Amino acid sequence: MTKLYLAIPCYNEEEVLYDTTEKLTKKFDEMIAQGKITPDSKICYFDDGSKDKTWQIISELHKTNRYVNGVKMSRNRGHQNTLLGGLMTIKDRCDCAISIDADLQDDINAFDKMIEDFENGSEIVYGVRSKRATDTAFKRMTAQGFYKVLSALGAEVVYNHADFRLMSRKALNALANFKEVNLFLRGLVPLVGFKTSVVEYERSERLAGESKYPLKKMLGLAWDGVTSLSMKPIRMITSLGAIVFCISIIILIYSFIVWCLGRTVSGWTSTVVSIWAIGGLQLLAIGIVGEYIGKIYMETKHRPRFIVEEELK
Ligand code: UDP
Ligand code: MG
């Protein structure tokens, strides 16, 4: 039997907490009765410095509900930091943790399959949405654009997977070795490796309240993802420099021909050629400097260079 902890970040979620807890309690009762999880499994809420009654409600639920635990962050630090902070706080108390949003848009009936995969040896199980029927057209388009732009810019993520995933204690301990502060968990978790699997589910609508992830925050998250995972934007500058430099050579040939034909004003050829050549060389130089800065950036993260999965002694 698996000792499961649910990891649930909450920011101003007073409207959904009672409903969420009721549904999760029912689910836990069922899973315990079926012998899938141990009776000391927990529903763990992480309060991300909410300004409403979220923490009061969590404290109250902790007293009245035997499953509910809580962790309060000192101030609002955003979803990713709160989730990581919470996971790191609980990692040694459980066999595995499933992270899920407080609004229960992700299907709690996927827990069973996730636990099953975990028991069959998966250290990380990704919840992946099969359809996006319930999202608004706008959310669907922006979210799909999000994955496309991310992968085009070199940040590898699991397609249509948000932060609904199971991680074993072993995977959480490996994740703890990633010391970076610019957090993008969806990109970081795949770097951990180990045996993984995918569980598909359908995403439903938010229980109540409104999305705490407006377009602005989503763009911020995407940008964090790109800049913390990939050096591709820097390489794009280098390529642009090379392209502009090539154009300058074409222009050089063209203006030389025009000059030979005597159809130019004096001074035109040298001016035009040098504008393109200098521009190209500058971009190229910035790109090369950027390449080194990128390397330094990656070094400063002190990511683990390897993670051992198994040993035979
Ligand atoms: N959240 C958080 N801190 C924040 C913003 C959001 O902990 O600064 C939590 C929020 O309470 C929820 C989860 O992150 O549990 C996802 O937010 P939401 O459901 O609003 O995002 P959406 O599903 O619209 O992308
Ligand atoms: Mg949501």
Side-chain angles (χ1 to χ4, degrees):
M1 265 208 290
T2 305
K3 185 172 173 189
L4 169 71
Y5 269 48
L6 289 183
I8 312 176
C10 307
Y11 178 58
N12 295 345
E13 296 285 13
E14 59 182 12
E15 282 164 288
V16 302
L17 272 177
Y18 288 114
D19 268 4
T20 298
T21 309
E22 199 187 307
K23 287 194 177 136
L24 290 175
T25 305
K26 227 172 112 208
K27 183 74 194 162
F28 262 46
D29 286 340
E30 269 169 39
M31 288 174 81
I32 291 168
Q34 290 162 352
K36 289 182 180 157
I37 57 173
T38 60
D40 56 353
S41 295
K42 297 282 177 208
I43 301 169
C44 229
Y45 291 115
F46 312 138
D47 176 25
D48 183 17
S50 299
K51 294 181 180 62
D52 63 1
K53 292 213 187 67
T54 300
W55 183 246
Q56 273 132 283
I57 297 175
I58 295 172
S59 318
E60 181 202 316
L61 287 168
H62 173 64
K63 286 192 201 108
T64 55
N65 186 313
R66 72 205 141 99
Y67 300 130
V68 174
N69 274 7
V71 176
K72 186 178 191 289
M73 298 298 153
S74 63
R75 51 158 294 173
N76 181 248
R77 290 304 308 269
H79 173 235
Q80 301 283 297
N81 291 299
T82 306
L83 183 55
L84 182 73
L87 285 171
M88 292 302 118
T89 313
I90 61 171
K91 73 179 161 58
D92 295 317
R93 298 181 212 156
C94 56
D95 297 325
C96 66
I98 296 180
S99 49
I100 184 168
D101 291 347
D103 54 7
L104 295 193
Q105 285 185 284
D106 307 308
D107 185 7
I108 59 173
N109 294 314
F111 292 171
D112 305 83
K113 183 76 186 20
M114 284 177 153
I115 298 279
E116 200 184 305
D117 280 11
F118 166 71
E119 282 175 352
N120 290 329
S122 292
E123 304 286 343
I124 303 172
V125 185
Y126 298 101
V128 167
R129 296 193 221 181
S130 45
K131 274 191 237 145
R132 282 181 175 266
T134 55
D135 277 355
T136 60
F138 178 72
K139 178 93 193 175
R140 196 159 55 223
M141 257 167 51
T142 49
Q144 243 143 34
F146 178 90
Y147 292 103
K148 294 231 170 78
V149 171
L150 273 186
S151 66
L153 289 177
E156 262 178 59
V157 288
V158 179
Y159 189 70
N160 263 348
H161 158 71
D163 280 302
F164 182 35
R165 76 177 82 79
L166 177 147
M167 292 182 80
S168 68
R169 190 197 300 192
K170 187 168 157 186
L172 288 170
N173 276 315
L175 185 67
N177 289 325
F178 289 76
K179 304 286 183 203
E180 56 203 89
V181 284
N182 289 293
L183 262 192
F184 184 66
L185 288 174
R186 280 174 229 184
L188 217 49
V189 173
L191 296 180
V192 170
F194 296 141
K195 187 175 172 213
T196 62
S197 64
V198 161
V199 168
E200 290 204 1
Y201 69 98
E202 269 180 52
R203 195 163 152 109
S204 49
E205 275 166 58
R206 199 171 226 287
L207 278 180
E210 48 190 46
S211 172
K212 311 291 183 291
Y213 257 103
L215 183 63
K216 196 173 138 225
K217 268 197 195 170
M218 205 148 103
L219 288 177
L221 185 68
W223 189 236
D224 265 355
V226 171
T227 51
S228 71
L229 287 170
S230 134
M231 285 171 50
K232 227 168 174 175
I234 295 176
R235 303 239 158 90
M236 283 162 117
I237 297 178
T238 319
S239 326
L240 188 67
I243 293 169
V244 172
F245 191 69
C246 290
I247 295 178
S248 84
I249 291 174
I250 297 170
I251 298 225
L252 176 74
I253 297 168
Y254 166 74
S255 40
F256 183 71
I257 297 170
V258 178
W259 180 76
C260 283
L261 298 175
R263 282 204 230 128
T264 56
V265 196
S266 85
W268 177 81
T269 318
S270 53
T271 313
V272 165
V273 171
S274 45
I275 287 174
W276 282 90
I278 290 286
L281 284 174
Q282 270 175 341
L283 280 176
L284 206 60
I286 293 172
I288 292 170
V289 174
E291 187 78 17
Y292 283 96
I293 295 180
K295 292 262 155 63
I296 297 170
Y297 175 55
M298 289 301 170
E299 290 288 339
T300 56
K301 285 178 186 283
H302 294 293
R303 280 183 182 164
R305 279 165 292 183
F306 51 83
I307 294 167
V308 175
E309 175 159 1
E310 247 177 276
E311 250 188 301
L312 297 173
K313 283 193 278 203

